Amino acid sequence: MEMIVFTGLQGSGKSSFFRERFASTHVHISKDHFPNARNRDRRQEQLIREAARKQQSVVVDNTNPDIESRTPLIRLGRELGMELVCYAFDVDVKACYERNALREGKAKVPDVGFFATLKKLQPPTHAEGFDQIFRVRLKDKEFEVTKDEG
Ligand SMILES: Nc1ncnc2c1ncn2[C@@H]1O[C@H](COP(=O)(O)OP(=O)(O)OP(=O)(O)O)[C@@H](O)[C@H]1O
Ligand SMILES: [Mg+2]
């Protein structure tokens, strides 16, 4: 069982990457699925615990930009006996911004939200507790994945 944590700006391709790589093998956990829950962190934790009870691997698909947002996930994953894997989406700020600007309706994140996330971004490290870290970048419409050996 593994817990994959995504980290990256709005529009960096996280949810598309999930659909392409993990939709058939991992449970998709995202706060976007319950925008109106009273306590979204708690709701998210419940869903992760539920998946673990069924021996299912999960992908936590939020921006998870900083250590503060990732630490509780790492702690929970450890508690549940999951392997901890991080996929960090490349920060091409201009491209992310433009992709976000092209989105329609609710999918589009307001500028303040985008820049707030940008300000918080901290690259993931093994010291945080990840067993494996991968970098993802969108290149010629394809996702390119490289392993971070650091
Ligand atoms: N392979 C690709 N080539 C070109 N554009 C892509 C590709 N995959 C996704 N996109 C575009 O990039 C944009 C962002 O994708 P996506 O919704 O996956 O981002 P996200 O990281 O999940 O964003 P958010 O954090 O706001 O949920 C979308 O508008 C999508 O159309
Ligand atoms: Mg998304």
Side-chain angles (χ1 to χ4, degrees), residues 3-34:
M3 174 191 283
I4 295 180
V5 177
F6 284 174
T7 169
L9 272 178
Q10 290 90 349
S12 57
K14 301 181 296 297
S15 302
S16 310
F17 188 73
F18 172 82
R19 285 191 291 272
E20 192 179 302
R21 296 278 176 113
F22 299 116
S24 58
T25 50
H26 291 62
V27 179
H28 195 199
I29 308 272
S30 169
K31 289 186 193 169
D32 292 345
H33 297 160
F34 37 89

